[in-house]
Amino acid sequence: MPKDTLSVTDNRTGKTYELPITHGTIRAMDLRQIKASDDDFGLMAYDPAFTNTAACVSRITFIDGDRGILRYRGYPIEQLAERSTYQETAYLLIHGELPTRQELESFQHAITYHTMVHENIRKFVDGFRYDAHPMGILTSTVAALSTFYTDAKDVMDAESRRIQIIRLIAKMPTLAAFAYRHRRGMPYVYPDNELSYTGNFLNMLFRMTEQRYKPNPIVEKALDVLLILHADHEQNCSTSAMRGVGSSLADPYSATAAACAALYGPLHGGANEAVVRMLREIGSVKSIAGHIERVKRGEGRLMGFGHRVYKNYDPRAKIIKRLAYEVFDAQGKNPLIDIALELEQIALSDPYFVERKLYPNVDFYSGIIYEAMGLPMDMFPALFALGRIAGWLAQWQELLEDKEQKIARPRQVYLGPDERRYVPLSERGHSERPLPG
Ligand code: ACO
């Protein structure tokens, strides 16, 4: 008998099956042959939140959640954060290798010269309410970009994909900055090609009446590192949305809008906003114990703690914690850091969190830094999206080049009623159920 197989005995029939094991997985389709009777559909795996199901083969990001390891294309996140730039990292994620100097310059040049958006996009942004959440604006306007680039539909064409990837990396900061300026009732600032990727983003956010915006180099660098740390995280909720929508061969702007929508949720990219709200609500170090007790009683979660994959300290949280102090030196300290540090310490020594392996995740400290940079809470998820766009696009491209992939279409276990006779309205009697509306 070959060694790399799984023997399964179906106790309903007494039959035994040999299922091949490849890369630590069995193929779910191999279960289909296991039938209780000839007319049985065949066995399926039930996995409501994909907690133990690999939906693709990927060569982009490696995570070992138990050991707290994160690597992009084999490079440890710590080394990329220390030695690379976001654009180099984006190139690495998308092309699989770190760029040569020439490749990097050409990539940077292409991105710099695609940062402008059509003036009609400005009008869309104008149409939003004065207090519209920037993430709602970003999600809608990135979807709207698909109507400007109809060539984007040609998703199986590598050259078309290349140009859409450049456009998306280039225009996401412009859209996010426009959303921010709209929210503040300030005139939009157009891109400045003399500045770096993050320097230009800060310019589009913060330029006032000065002739030329000069970004603070510490803030510029810190933002760049934050983008690197958020650039990819394998098959998370938003990346799965990108792949799911991309699998129908929708254009990448529409798929990115779906990914942004997924990221917006408080259990994903909205968590950094939720962390700052939570720290504000706690208000002082002396109220931490009470908050922890409420969480343990099941009254809400400790935001920024816990992760589906990391059952150890999130390596990104470690880097962000250090980065926070560099930003505080440049911008002044965010007082919430004291509450956060104490909260972390208390939680990490409390059996409830220890037993469940709940450690700070990337969002625990990122919001505190963003706030110190002068950004309002509702911009945080948009900043996450700016970093993650590189990963979404790398994953989208990998999906399209993967011959094994088809349109994503999960199965279900149907537990609803069997076939019923239709009851006409006149025979339905009086309802005990509460009336809608
Ligand atoms: N606070 C308190 N308890 C928690 C927390 C938390 N933050 N996270 C998990 N738990 C508890 C659960 O109540 C559960 O306890 P039980 O076994 O007694 O029922 C146990 O830990 C396991 O939790 P699950 O919900 O099964 O873990 P899952 O992997 O589904 O959830 C998630 C992961 C969504 C990140 C969760 O930890 C959470 O809600 N965290 C807070 C939100 C957050 O910070 N999200 C950002 C994630 S990182 C990112 O997206 C970039």
Side-chain angles (χ1 to χ4, degrees), residues 139 141-147 149-157 159-169 172 241-243 245-260 389 392-397 399-400:
T139 305
T141 49
V142 78
L145 284 183
S146 75
T147 64
Y149 304 112
T150 48
D151 57 324
K153 286 188 179 10
D154 208 356
V155 296
M156 298 317 283
D157 180 72
E159 178 51 24
S160 168
R161 283 204 302 266
R162 192 193 63 79
I163 183 68
Q164 313 316 328
I165 286 173
I166 295 287
R167 283 178 177 146
L168 270 158
I169 296 175
M172 285 284 281
M242 181 89 188
R243 278 183 175 259
V245 174
S247 78
S248 75
L249 306 187
D251 68 84
Y253 303 99
S254 303
T256 300
C260 283
I389 186 66
W392 288 337
L393 291 167
Q395 301 270 354
W396 168 73
Q397 172 144 284
L399 163 96
L400 293 171

Side-chain angles (χ1 to χ4, degrees), residues 138-335:
L138 182 63
T139 305
S140 320
T141 49
V142 78
L145 284 183
S146 75
T147 64
F148 293 87
Y149 304 112
T150 48
D151 57 324
K153 286 188 179 10
D154 208 356
V155 296
M156 298 317 283
D157 180 72
E159 178 51 24
S160 168
R161 283 204 302 266
R162 192 193 63 79
I163 183 68
Q164 313 316 328
I165 286 173
I166 295 287
R167 283 178 177 146
L168 270 158
I169 296 175
K171 294 181 202 303
M172 285 284 281
T174 314
L175 299 178
F178 278 16
Y180 170 78
R181 302 283 292 200
H182 174 74
R183 184 98 165 77
R184 312 219 66 183
M186 294 193 329
Y188 306 114
V189 177
Y190 286 79
D192 180 343
N193 286 0
E194 299 303 311
L195 295 173
S196 72
Y197 187 74
T198 44
N200 172 50
F201 179 54
L202 292 167
N203 158 62
M204 293 189 290
L205 290 173
F206 297 132
R207 197 178 128 211
M208 300 301 278
T209 52
E210 62 270 41
Q211 275 295 319
R212 194 127 225 191
Y213 180 81
K214 279 206 192 78
N216 178 319
I218 294 173
V219 175
E220 189 180 0
K221 173 68 190 153
L223 192 55
D224 203 65
V225 173
L226 284 163
L227 296 186
I228 294 173
L229 298 181
H230 286 88
D232 195 48
H233 212 235
E234 51 119 306
Q235 309 311 314
N236 54 85
C237 178
S238 56
T239 301
S240 302
M242 181 89 188
R243 278 183 175 259
V245 174
S247 78
S248 75
L249 306 187
D251 68 84
Y253 303 99
S254 303
T256 300
C260 283
L263 190 71
Y264 193 3
L267 296 187
H268 191 12
N272 45 20
E273 183 176 346
V275 169
V276 172
R277 282 190 204 285
M278 176 188 75
L279 294 174
R280 288 243 175 88
E281 212 177 282
I282 295 174
S284 70
V285 169
K286 65 178 184 343
S287 308
I288 293 174
H291 184 79
I292 298 245
E293 286 313 309
R294 280 194 294 281
V295 167
K296 282 160 60 179
R297 284 201 300 272
E299 297 166 24
R301 292 200 157 188
L302 194 54
M303 299 313 288
F305 260 70
H307 200 277
R308 172 62 56 79
V309 179
Y310 293 115
K311 302 301 170 197
N312 199 325
Y313 214 104
D314 183 334
R316 302 166 299 174
K318 269 189 203 153
I319 301 169
I320 293 186
K321 197 171 161 183
R322 278 200 305 272
L323 201 62
Y325 288 95
E326 291 172 29
V327 176
F328 295 162
D329 282 345
Q331 300 282 103
K333 184 175 150 186
N334 183 341

